[in-house]
Amino acid sequence: MAEEAILGYLETHDLISDSGVFAAERGIGHNEVVNIIKSLHGFRYVDAQDIKKEAWVLTDEGKTYAATGSPEVQLFLAVPPEGIPKEELQNKLAPSVYKIGCAQAAKNKWVEMGKLITRKVEHVDDKVKDLLLRINDGQAVDQDGIKALKARKLIAPQTWKGYSVKKGPNYAPKRKKVATDLTRENLQGGDWKELEFKEYNFTAKGLPIEGGHLHPLLKVRHQLKDIFRQMGFEEMPTNNFVESSFWNFDALFQPQQHPARDSHDTFFLQAPSTTKELPEDYVERVKRVHESGGYDSRGYGYDWKRDEANKNLLRTHTTAVSSRMLYLLAQKPFVPKKYFSIDRVFRNEAVDRTHLAEFHQIEGLVCDRGLTLGDLIGVLHDFFSRLGMSKLRFKPAYNPYTEPSMEIFSYHEGFKKWVEVGNSGMFRPEMLLPMGLPEDVRVIAWGLSLERPTMILYGIDNIRDLFGPKVDLSLIKKNQICRLGI
Ligand code: PHE
C-alpha cells in the first residue's frame, strides 16, 4: 500500500516534501513508509533526502499533569475561599503536589502563604496543562511556553527522522520484478532476452564459510611439530595404533610379569589377537637379554614366552614406535638421528577429570655416540624453554627401559609451584645393544602428554571438555590460534 502510494504520487508530483506528513495524510504508519522509501531508494526508483526535526515529547511528570492538572492548580482548588491552615492543606495533597504547588502558586501570586493559606485571586486557568496537551497533539506552542515547560522538566526534546522523496533515475510507476536466477526454462523459452536481471551486489557480505575447524590439540601439535623441526628433529611414522607386545614392551626390556602388561592397564586385541611376524634373530636376542642378560647385564632371570610377545594391543606409549625406529637404524651403518612423534596412545584407565583411556604423547629422542645425561638435560632445557618453560628441575625416576631416568618438573608461575611436565631418560644398553647399535651409541629420550599443555594454554580444566563426546563443538569452531613457540 505504501509503495503504491509513493510511486503513484510521484507520477503526478515532483516531490514528497515530508514522509511524516505524507504518512499521516494517508493513514499509513510512518515506519512502513520509511522502509519502503529505503527499499525504493536502494533500487534507485526514488531519491531520498534525510530530514530531521527536533520535536518535544512529554516526560512522565508532564504526562501526569496533562491528565490530572498542574500541581499549582490542584493546590489552588484545594484552598477554600475562607482560607485553610497550612497543615490541613498539606494533609489534603500528595507531598510533591503540595511542594511544587505552593512554589508555583505563590510565584503566580494566586495564594497568600502564611499560617493560614488564602486565595488572592478568584479564578485561575491551567495554562501548563493546556500547553502539555497541545504538545502531545503535535500542535505549535510558542517559545516562552516551551522554555517554561523545559525548565520544569515536563517536556524533553526528541529527534524525529523522515525523508523528502523525489523520482530516482530508475523511476517507474510500478516496481518491476527483476530476475535473480537464469533458469533452464528462461534459456529454452528464449525469454532471457527480455528479462531484466538483478544487479550483482559486490559489497554484500557472503555467508560465513563453514569449513573444517582444527581442534585445539591439533593446533598445539602443529606448533610442537614446528619446534621439533626447528631443533632438527625428524618425525617418526606413528600411523599404527595397533602394536605387538614385542615392540611395545619386550624390545624395551620391560619384563613380561610387569604390571603394565596386565589387561587392567592395557587394551589387548581379540581379533587379530597376535602379530604375524617379528624379526626372528632379534627376537632371539631380546629373549636372551630378558632371561639371562648379556652386555654386562644379568637380565631378569625368568622364562621368556614368545606367546606373550606376540599379543596385539593398542600401543600404550609412542616409545613402541621409537623402538621400531631404533631397530631399523641399527640395521644400517650408523648415522646420528634426532626423532620425534606426537600421536595417540591408549591405556585402560579409570576415566576422571584429568584422565581418559586415550591421550596423545609427545616424544623426542636423540641418538648419537657418547651422549651423556648432561646432553639430555641440555636438550630438555632447549625444548621446554621453547614452550615457555625455562625453569626446570629433575627428579630421579624409574622406567624399565631407561637408566638413569628423570621426571621433569617446571615452575608454574600461575600456580606458584613445581608441576610435573614429563618423563625422560637414557635408553638402557639391554634395549639398544640387542638391536645391533654400536656399543658407544647412547639414546636420550623424553615424553610428555599433549593434553596437559593444551589444557593449560586453552584454560580447560576438565579433559572431557577437550576430548570425547561431551565436547562443545562451538568451542572447537571458535578456539583461538596457538602461538606457542612463535
Ligand atoms: N614412554 C614414557 C611414558 O609413557 C615416556 C618416556 C619416553 C620416558 C622416553 C623416557 C623416555 O611416560
Side-chain angles (χ1 to χ4, degrees), residues 141-156:
V141 168
D142 64 39
Q143 277 308 307
D144 289 346
I146 296 284
K147 243 181 158 173
L149 296 179
K150 207 175 108 184
R152 288 178 68 174
K153 295 206 171 73
L154 302 182
I155 56 171

Side-chain angles (χ1 to χ4, degrees), residues 316-317 319 347 361 363 399 401-402 423-425 427 445-447:
T316 65
H317 52 185
T319 317
R347 290 182 194 175
Q361 221 169 33
E363 179 148 331
N399 295 307
Y401 38 90
T402 54
N423 181 7
S424 68
F427 284 138
W446 73 100

Side-chain angles (χ1 to χ4, degrees), residues 49 52 91 94 120 242 308 312 332 362 450 473 478:
Q49 292 286 318
K52 279 186 192 159
N91 286 339
K120 285 170 81 176
V242 174
E308 196 58 42
N312 279 334
K332 286 181 246 151
I362 306 166
L450 176 64
L473 268 186
K478 282 188 291 204

